[in-house]
């Protein structure tokens, strides 16, 4: 049976948690954090089912560089079908990372 989520944001006993907005901004995240994040979400299982409804991912004001952006681009291409917004301002992403992100978003 499908559970319902009430107006108070609590989940019913038979429902699963739905994450639509994940705000990891201003957390000093770098390449290793992005690698762990994308790897865990790409593996499937419980973490994936909890985040499969993700629409908005906020990663602004971190330490993400080109390598992290490339990892995010791979994740966008393979696992982020429902994502509508990705916030990455105020990171250290250069041209290579930006190109990878655009390619990942439109793959």
């Amino acid at each position: 049976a499908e559970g319902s989520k009430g107006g108070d944001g609590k989940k019913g006993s038979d429902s699963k948690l739905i994450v639509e907005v994940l705000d990891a901004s201003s957390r000093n995240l770098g390449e290793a954090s992005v690698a762990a994040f994308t790897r865990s979400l790409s593996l499937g299982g419980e973490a994936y089912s909890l985040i499969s409804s993700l629409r908005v991912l906020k990663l602004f004001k971190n330490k993400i560089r080109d390598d992290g952006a490339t990892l995010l681009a791979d994740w966008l291409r393979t696992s982020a079908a429902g994502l509508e917004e990705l916030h990455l301002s105020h990171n250290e992403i250069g041209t290579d990372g930006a190109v990878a992100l655009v390619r990942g978003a439109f793959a």
Side-chain angles (χ1 to χ4, degrees):
E2 288 186 21
S4 61
K5 185 173 157 184
D8 60 0
K10 295 180 181 176
K11 63 179 183 166
S13 61
D14 63 342
S15 67
K16 69 178 168 183
L17 178 65
I18 296 174
V19 178
E20 292 184 341
V21 178
L22 179 59
D23 186 348
S25 59
S26 301
R27 303 279 186 234
N28 205 29
L29 303 177
E31 315 307 304
S33 299
V34 171
F37 172 78
T38 56
R39 186 173 47 252
S40 67
L41 294 182
S42 297
L43 292 176
E46 185 177 343
Y48 178 76
S49 67
L50 291 176
I51 209 101
S52 62
S53 58
L54 186 65
R55 293 182 313 101
V56 179
L57 177 57
K58 297 180 181 182
L59 294 172
F60 58 89
K61 292 186 180 177
N62 280 296
K63 303 285 184 196
I64 300 169
R65 296 187 305 250
D66 286 344
D67 289 343
T70 300
L71 291 169
L72 284 169
D74 291 342
W75 175 72
L76 286 171
R77 188 173 20 262
T78 60
S79 304
L83 193 70
E84 297 171 8
E85 297 178 26
L86 176 60
H87 299 263
L88 290 169
S89 66
H90 299 89
N91 276 287
E92 300 168 8
I93 299 171
T95 303
D96 291 343
V99 168
L101 285 165
V102 170
R103 287 184 178 156
F106 292 104

